[in-house]
């Protein structure tokens, strides 16, 4: 044992984002004071706002802030923090950092430096695991790194083989080699990546299992010689060796296999004198054989699914063990209840090869009431809130959505409803992609392996077919905003398209891409669909005309963002809202439909002269003014944002010109038909 362990009343969290907020939540519940650290990019971040104290570390770069050992230790000294929780990433598996904390008399909430070192070198770790009787994938883990020797070892193992950086992690310095002909090029590439990422070119070689599952075991040890496993998690759904969806327990796991893997994981931890929370990762082959892959000497991103099925707070366990206490429970006192999933929400664009995205979160909310979900069954671990900036400097993960159900099917149904209820605006995310994963027949059928996304890429990333029903539902959302229910039947009190001697009709054009708004008046334009809505009375149903089809339709606002859409007598509950000049409709059975809309009837169509005023199409609240009075604007440029029914609607310039004045400020309540601003069209 090399870490000092003693009681402490203040803990510094040497991390950021959702894990920092997660640790703070438990620390506060235990009566501990919390200290945050931050870079210049995170000065106004959520974890800083929630901490009792916060200390600046340095500039935005992690190298100049979160990875500065001296700055983190000095922050602990300044605030009287007796312990440091590293979260995951950054300094969480940095042995020299742990040694420095010991010298400073500060408790590290994690394993001793010797255990981190033992598992940090992949080759040495394999040797230790062999000694402990933990099953290993056939491979080469030796010190001799001669190219010819490595090639000979790969030939002996048999292709395909997996080349891995000995000091690596996170998919860096890792490649699958399908044949002897490609070995040298792959080796050279892996060494370059490994040198750049870890300053180390050593490689290890393993037999590449073609359809393995990634199953990991949560272990916990204390300083009194006690060790337990808190069962397993399946993390097979990955992209570029990064996990996307995790679940616990692993599907198809027998009691005997669970015990064998759990006991092997505990042996692995004992072999290196482990203390605290750790995860032993295995590859599980189709025949039930399992092989040690690596051990993560820290809390895992996916730890909440284990908490959900065991009812235990693993961060509390970490803090208590760091104080020198014994494990709260023995092995025979731990049980599994139900099933849990975790979906990682990233700021990235799946349609652009998962490129990270940046921007400001104009809205970030989980509408549990609207989705009819039990708050005890759904958990959102997040490091952001509405209004927060997503920068380019750090990992793009925004949050983790975790759900629990009585069995896998129930938990999966809850996950799909929760994903539909998650409203993220302002930054591109993988939310819709996650829902496609969770509703994929192969995933629902437990046909899992680590190449799941690669195997099903064509269907997971294919453009969604937009049905007539989807267009109808989206049009109803727009019509609801343009024509709010009115108590009076007087034409002078209505703003729904009523005209003397003319049908009570509103026409909307819908398109799947925002750039089509400019040509949305052209009913024959490709991927632009015109929907005509008409009704006899303000309280009556809509008659929607879409192409050759006419539907009798109603929409009813329920709780939160939930609406009930009835088409020809078929009623469906959906999550729906206006966002970014578009309509977003989400169902728990098939993911997201996002359509941009524009009104094209006689009230605002481009044949007449541009209006000198803009009026509110609905009762609501002014969210933001986007331009200054007197500012010149172009047609279609956003001018202001309104919100109603938890839906945002952007008012755009009707023509080139300038805004002369606004009649309302952000936060003001406006009525339907109120004049919002004075507009001067360009002569």
């Amino acid at each position: 044992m090399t870490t000092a362990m003693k009681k402490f009343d203040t803990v510094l969290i040497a991390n950021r984002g959702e894990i920092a907020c997660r640790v703070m939540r438990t620390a506060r519940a235990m009566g501990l004071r919390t200290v945050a650290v931050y870079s210049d990019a995170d000065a106004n971040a959520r974890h800083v706002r929630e901490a009792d104290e916060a200390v600046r570390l340095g500039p935005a770069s992690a190298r100049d802030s979160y990875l500065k050992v001296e700055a983190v230790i000095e922050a602990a000294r300044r605030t009287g923090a007796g312990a440091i929780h590293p979260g995951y990433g950054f300094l969480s598996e940095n042995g020299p950092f742990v040694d420095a904390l010991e010298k400073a008399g500060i408790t590290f909430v994690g394993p001793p430096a010797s255990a981190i070192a033992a598992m940090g070198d992949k080759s040495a770790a394999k040797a230790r695991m062999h000694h402990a009787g933990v099953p290993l994938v056939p491979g080469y883990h030796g010190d001799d790194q001669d190219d010819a020797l490595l090639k000979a070892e790969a030939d002996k193992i048999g292709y395909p083989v997996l080349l891995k950086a000995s000091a690596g992690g996170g998919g860096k310095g890792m490649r699958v080699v399908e044949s002897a002909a490609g070995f040298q090029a792959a080796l050279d590439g892996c060494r370059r990546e490994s040198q750049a990422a870890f300053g180390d070119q050593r490689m290890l070689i393993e037999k590449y299992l073609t359809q393995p599952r990634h199953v990991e075991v949560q272990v916990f040890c204390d300083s009194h010689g006690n060790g337990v496993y808190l069962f397993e998690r399946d993390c097979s759904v990955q992209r570029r060796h990064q996990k996307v969806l995790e679940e616990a327990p692993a599907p198809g796991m027998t009691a005997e296999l669970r015990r064998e893997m759990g006991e092997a994981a505990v042996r692995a931890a004992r072999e290196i004198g482990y203390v605290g929370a750790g995860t032993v990762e295995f590859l599980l082959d189709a025949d039930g054989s399992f092989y040690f892959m690596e051990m993560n000497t820290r809390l895992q991103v996916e730890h909440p699914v284990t908490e959900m099925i065991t009812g235990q707070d693993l961060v509390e366990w970490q803090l208590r063990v760091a104080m020198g206490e014994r494990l709260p429970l023995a092995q025979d006192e731990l049980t599994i209840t139900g099933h849990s999933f975790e979906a990682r929400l990233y700021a990235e664009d799946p349609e652009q090869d998962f490129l990270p995205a940046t921007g400001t979160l104009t809205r970030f909310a989980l509408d549990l009431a609207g989705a009819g979900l039990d708050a005890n069954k759904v958990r959102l671990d997040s490091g952001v809130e509405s209004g927060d900036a997503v920068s380019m400097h750090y990992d793009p993960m925004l949050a983790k959505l975790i759900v629990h159900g009585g069995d896998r099917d129930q938990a999966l149904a809850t996950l799909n409803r929760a994903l539909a209820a998650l409203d993220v605006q302002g930054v591109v995310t993988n939310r819709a992609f996650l829902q496609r994963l969770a509703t994929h027949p192969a995933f629902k059928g437990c046909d899992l392996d680590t190449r799941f996304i690669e195997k099903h890429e064509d269907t997971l990333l294919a453009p969604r077919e937009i049905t007539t029903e989807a267009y109808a539902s989206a049009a109803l959302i727009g019509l609801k905003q343009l024509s709010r229910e009115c108590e009076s039947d007087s034409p002078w009190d209505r703003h729904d398209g009523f005209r003397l001697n003319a049908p009570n009709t509103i026409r909307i054009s819908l398109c799947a891409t925002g750039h089509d708004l400019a040509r949305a008046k052209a009913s024959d334009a490709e991927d632009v669909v015109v929907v005509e809505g008409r009704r006899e009375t303000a309280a009556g149903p809509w008659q929607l005309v879409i192409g050759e089809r006419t539907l009798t339709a109603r929409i009813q606002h329920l709780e939160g963002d939930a609406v009930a859409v009835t088409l020809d007598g078929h009623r469906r509950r959906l999550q729906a809202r206006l966002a970014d000049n578009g309509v977003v409709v989400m169902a728990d059975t098939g993911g997201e439909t996002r359509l941009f809309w524009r009104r094209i009837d006689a009230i605002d169509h481009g044949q007449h002269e541009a209006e000198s005023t803009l009026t509110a199409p609905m009762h609501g609240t002014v969210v933001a003014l986007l331009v200054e009075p007197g500012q010149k604007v172009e047609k279609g440029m956003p001018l202001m944002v309104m919100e109603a029914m938890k839906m945002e609607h952007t008012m755009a310039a009707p023509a080139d010109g300038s805004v002369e004045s606004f009649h309302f400020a952000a936060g003001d309540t406006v009525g339907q038909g109120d004049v919002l601003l004075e507009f001067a069209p360009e002569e």
Side-chain angles (χ1 to χ4, degrees):
M1 205 46 227
T2 60
T3 52
M5 291 196 297
K6 58 187 178 182
K7 296 291 183 181
F8 46 83
D9 58 16
T10 302
V11 59
L12 181 149
I13 298 90
N15 218 296
R16 63 179 301 281
E18 63 85 17
I19 186 57
C21 297
R22 160 72 187 94
V23 174
M24 287 179 195
R25 186 168 65 245
T26 289
R28 286 194 299 268
M30 295 176 65
L32 300 174
R33 295 182 67 257
T34 60
V35 178
V37 289
Y38 63 92
S39 70
D40 289 345
D42 280 340
N44 297 311
R46 180 178 176 180
H47 76 281
V48 175
R49 299 194 297 267
E50 293 188 354
D52 294 310
E53 294 183 59
V55 179
R56 176 185 178 273
L57 294 177
S61 167
R63 183 180 304 171
D64 297 322
S65 52
Y66 294 105
L67 293 175
K68 287 181 66 176
V69 171
E70 301 83 2
V72 172
I73 292 176
E74 178 57 27
R77 288 197 185 103
R78 287 175 59 185
T79 57
I84 290 181
H85 192 300
Y88 40 70
F90 293 143
L91 297 171
S92 62
E93 295 178 282
N94 186 306
F97 174 59
V98 180
D99 287 334
L101 291 184
E102 183 180 9
K103 292 177 183 177
I106 299 171
T107 298
F108 179 67
V109 184
S114 58
I116 295 175
M119 286 300 178
D121 185 313
K122 298 293 189 295
S123 294
K126 300 282 187 181
R128 296 288 294 269
M129 294 304 98
H130 178 72
H131 180 265
V134 179
L136 298 175
V137 176
Y140 175 75
H141 315 114
D143 293 329
D144 191 336
Q145 293 288 300
D146 178 74
D147 286 15
L149 175 69
L150 293 178
K151 170 69 165 50
E153 290 292 338
D155 293 344
K156 186 192 306 180
I157 294 166
Y159 295 94
V161 298
L162 182 66
L163 273 173
K164 295 173 66 174
S166 182
K172 296 182 179 68
M174 182 184 298
R175 287 197 177 132
V176 176
V177 185
E178 299 287 352
S179 66
F183 183 84
Q184 189 61 50
L187 177 62
D188 293 342
C190 283
R191 280 180 167 161
R192 285 193 298 270
E193 289 180 9
S194 183
Q195 180 65 37
F198 314 112
D200 190 327
Q201 291 191 11
R202 290 175 302 151
M203 291 286 124
L204 56 83
I205 308 172
E206 293 178 348
K207 176 66 179 174
Y208 183 68
L209 306 178
T210 56
Q211 288 188 302
R213 288 168 57 189
H214 182 134
V215 176
E216 59 189 31
V217 177
Q218 176 72 60
V219 295
F220 235 107
C221 300
D222 62 25
S223 57
H224 303 279
N226 302 306
V228 298
Y229 60 91
L230 288 89
F231 314 113
E232 79 286 343
R233 303 181 284 255
D234 192 305
C235 309
S236 299
V237 180
Q238 305 176 7
R239 56 165 182 77
R240 300 181 188 136
H241 306 288
Q242 296 284 335
K243 301 165 188 172
V244 178
L245 277 176
E246 300 103 349
E247 60 183 299
M253 183 66 65
T254 65
E256 180 181 4
L257 182 56
R258 174 173 291 124
R259 178 183 55 77
E260 289 179 2
M261 294 183 75
E263 291 178 352
V266 173
R267 288 199 305 274
R270 291 186 190 279
E271 170 70 19
I272 60 171
Y274 200 80
V275 174
T279 299
V280 182
E281 301 192 347
F282 295 102
L283 289 175
L284 177 62
D285 210 354
D287 64 359
S289 302
F290 63 93
Y291 307 99
F292 174 83
M293 185 165 54
E294 63 182 356
M295 182 177 185
N296 288 287
T297 53
R298 54 173 167 78
L299 195 68
Q300 289 281 85
V301 177
E302 58 272 20
H303 76 274
V305 293
T306 296
E307 293 182 322
M308 285 288 207
I309 65 167
T310 61
Q312 304 302 312
D313 185 330
L314 298 190
V315 173
E316 181 178 350
W317 279 43
Q318 283 188 297
L319 293 169
R320 294 198 179 282
V321 166
M323 291 178 179
E325 297 182 17
R326 295 178 181 274
L327 292 179
L329 296 174
Q331 189 66 61
D332 60 3
E333 295 175 299
L334 291 164
T335 58
I336 295 175
T337 301
H339 202 95
S340 179
F341 286 96
E342 174 182 285
R344 301 190 189 190
L345 183 73
Y346 287 100
E348 64 183 14
D349 189 349
E351 297 182 3
Q352 298 296 322
D353 198 26
F354 297 96
L355 284 175
T358 60
T360 299
L361 290 165
T362 56
R363 181 170 166 83
F364 187 85
L366 178 61
D367 182 18
L368 294 178
L373 292 169
D374 182 349
N376 294 317
K377 300 293 185 182
V378 182
R379 166 175 158 185
L380 184 65
D381 283 11
S382 167
V384 295
E385 296 176 320
S386 297
D388 284 352
V390 179
S391 78
M392 58 180 283
H393 299 289
Y394 311 113
D395 187 277
M397 190 172 72
L398 301 176
K400 304 178 306 194
L401 183 63
I402 310 107
V403 302
H404 184 266
D407 56 28
R408 190 177 191 269
D409 289 343
Q410 290 181 18
L412 193 55
T414 299
L415 176 64
N416 288 321
R417 293 180 75 88
L419 284 168
L422 185 59
D423 184 6
V424 187
Q425 298 179 28
V427 176
V428 177
T429 74
N430 67 331
R431 192 201 61 77
F433 177 75
L434 289 171
Q435 199 164 12
R436 290 191 185 191
L437 279 172
T439 55
H440 196 283
F443 185 80
K444 293 169 71 174
C446 301
D447 183 11
L448 306 173
D449 64 62
T450 54
R451 297 179 62 246
F452 183 90
I453 292 178
E454 182 182 346
K455 285 167 57 178
H456 301 289
E457 185 176 19
D458 289 347
T459 53
L460 290 171
L461 296 176
R464 295 190 65 83
E465 180 181 351
I466 303 176
T467 65
T468 299
E469 286 72 19
Y471 280 116
S473 299
L476 278 174
I477 305 302
L479 291 167
K480 181 71 171 177
Q481 299 309 306
L482 290 170
S483 177
R484 297 297 299 267
E485 301 293 351
C486 236
E487 292 182 1
S488 170
D489 281 331
S490 168
W492 317 116
D493 293 334
R494 291 168 61 174
H495 305 269
D496 60 357
F498 176 87
R499 287 293 183 271
L500 288 173
N501 303 316
N504 181 4
T505 299
I506 296 177
R507 296 177 74 234
I508 289 179
S509 75
L510 296 159
C511 52
T513 52
H515 65 265
D516 286 325
L517 281 174
R519 57 188 179 87
K521 296 192 200 96
S523 60
D524 59 347
E526 241 180 83
D527 69 8
V528 173
V529 171
V530 173
V531 180
E532 184 176 280
R534 63 180 70 174
R535 58 182 177 179
E536 299 300 321
T537 65
W542 288 94
Q543 297 297 315
L544 300 183
V545 180
I546 307 175
E548 301 297 321
R549 189 171 176 185
T550 300
L551 300 169
T552 300
R554 289 183 181 274
I555 184 169
Q556 177 188 5
H557 176 237
L558 303 174
E559 309 88 0
D561 288 334
V563 295
V565 172
T566 304
L567 303 175
D568 284 348
H570 184 180
R571 185 180 187 273
R572 294 185 64 198
R573 182 188 179 103
L574 306 166
Q575 297 287 124
R577 49 188 168 265
L578 290 174
D580 302 328
N581 291 327
V583 180
V584 180
V585 179
M586 288 166 291
D588 57 17
T589 55
E592 170 184 295
T593 297
R594 179 183 293 266
L595 291 165
F596 295 87
W597 66 277
R598 179 174 183 162
R599 186 176 182 178
I600 57 171
D601 58 32
I603 294 175
D604 64 354
H605 111 7
Q607 297 300 320
H608 69 75
E609 186 178 347
E611 300 286 348
S612 61
T613 62
L614 287 185
T615 58
M618 57 198 176
H619 301 283
T621 303
V622 176
V623 175
L625 306 181
L626 305 178
V627 299
E628 297 292 333
Q631 180 177 336
K632 289 188 176 298
V633 297
E634 296 179 352
K635 182 178 180 180
M637 182 175 176
L639 304 180
M640 64 187 298
V641 180
M642 287 184 59
E643 182 182 65
M645 294 170 58
K646 295 187 178 180
M647 301 179 184
E648 289 194 352
H649 177 63
T650 301
M651 306 296 295
D656 294 346
S658 62
V659 175
E660 293 189 333
S661 63
F662 287 100
H663 292 279
F664 297 94
D668 288 350
T669 300
V670 299
Q672 181 184 9
D674 286 348
V675 176
L676 300 174
L677 57 87
E678 302 294 332
F679 184 81
E682 194 174 80
E683 296 295 335

